[in-house]
Amino acid sequence: MKNIDILYEDADCVVLNKPAGLAVQGGDRITTSLDDLLAQEWQQRPFLVHRLDKDTSGLILVAKTKDAARYYSSVIGGKKAEKIYVALCNKRIEPLKGEIDDPLEIRGTEKRALTFYKTLAYSEHFSLLELRLGSGRMHQIRRHLALVGNPILGDDKYGDFALNRFLKKERAVKKLMLHAWKLHFPSRIAQKTITVSAPLPEYFHAFVHEEFGDIIM
């Protein structure tokens, strides 16, 4: 598929590097979605077993059959898979490594939410964080980082809007700087744990290089 790299594939599933701005599933006012593109490619509807925000780039696993969908839904729902994200955030987060254990309101009810983070690099004004989910609430990473005062750059829903305007003009930051970076999951076919990583989008990599220099990720 044009502009969507396949990073892993077997008879059960495919792991794709979704670009920012592409919705995973169709709906009102969505003209193009990942499931529609896959349906055209495969001549059948794909089986979505987890989601990524439209504005988040990076790894998403899609099942090819109903049996595979049942298996991978249980793997991801049962936390047998590990998803690792990276984000560019405002300011230096304190402490540099830890967890955010703050409840989030979901449909009018507060639900426990847990996010683990580690600082990969920081400068005077920005941080590059590695993040892992201890729960799976809607927009969890974006909301948690905003709550602790380190919103993700380019976040037009929970972010620092004045900073976003400045960065759009001065640093060409036009997209959400959140990327689903790595995925570890037990493959039913290969009978082993598969590890897939998605390279940073060019705009994300350029900002990291300019702000932090050459760092090993």
Side-chain angles (χ1 to χ4, degrees):
M1 288 175 292
K2 187 177 179 181
N3 299 325
I4 305 178
D5 293 330
I6 296 174
L7 300 180
Y8 174 81
E9 185 171 13
D10 61 27
D12 260 357
C13 70
V14 61
V15 180
L16 305 165
N17 187 9
K18 184 189 83 67
L22 176 65
V24 170
Q25 196 166 25
D28 291 341
R29 293 177 288 184
I30 294 175
T31 57
T32 304
S33 63
L34 179 64
D35 63 339
D36 283 341
L37 294 175
L38 285 171
Q40 294 169 19
E41 185 84 6
W42 295 352
Q43 305 301 307
Q44 67 173 51
R45 300 302 297 180
F47 297 89
L48 302 174
V49 294
H50 69 114
R51 303 289 190 273
L52 273 186
D53 292 349
K54 176 183 176 182
D55 295 327
T56 302
S57 60
L59 296 171
I60 184 163
L61 184 151
V62 181
K64 293 181 176 181
T65 67
K66 287 183 179 180
D67 285 345
R70 279 192 289 270
Y71 172 76
Y72 284 113
S73 292
S74 68
V75 162
I76 291 171
K79 298 181 181 178
K80 297 174 186 175
E82 183 177 38
K83 294 177 279 184
I84 304 171
Y85 297 77
V86 285
L88 280 162
C89 305
N90 188 21
K91 300 185 289 188
R92 184 173 73 177
I93 194 167
E94 295 289 353
L96 296 178
K97 179 180 180 180
E99 62 185 53
I100 305 169
D101 188 0
D102 288 326
L104 296 172
E105 184 178 312
I106 307 296
R107 299 184 184 90
T109 303
E110 281 202 339
K111 301 284 189 179
R112 189 189 180 199
L114 179 62
T115 302
F116 302 96
Y117 71 88
K118 178 175 71 174
T119 302
L120 299 176
Y122 65 86
S123 62
E124 183 180 358
H125 300 293
F126 306 111
S127 295
L128 176 66
L129 303 182
E130 175 185 305
L131 302 123
R132 301 167 192 250
L133 295 173
S135 55
R137 309 303 180 193
M138 181 179 290
H139 296 169
Q140 178 175 311
I141 291 174
R142 297 166 66 178
R143 295 170 72 183
H144 263 171
L145 289 173
L147 277 173
V148 299
N150 301 96
I152 298 175
L153 307 187
D155 191 336
D156 61 5
K157 188 174 181 67
Y158 307 102
D160 183 324
F161 304 136
L163 176 62
N164 287 345
R165 288 192 295 270
F166 172 81
L167 291 174
K168 185 175 182 179
K169 180 180 179 181
E170 300 296 331
R171 302 285 294 272
V173 174
K174 300 177 182 179
K175 296 180 180 180
L176 178 70
M177 295 298 209
L178 176 63
H179 180 67
W181 181 33
K182 292 182 180 180
L183 177 65
H184 308 284
F185 64 95
S187 166
R188 186 173 69 156
I189 287 180
Q191 294 291 301
K192 65 179 181 179
T193 297
I194 302 296
T195 297
V196 187
S197 61
L200 298 177
E202 180 54 38
Y203 58 86
F204 200 127
H205 180 268
F207 192 102
V208 169
H209 179 75
E210 182 180 350
E211 194 68 26
F212 308 113
D214 293 322
I215 64 173
I216 298 174
M217 293 181 62

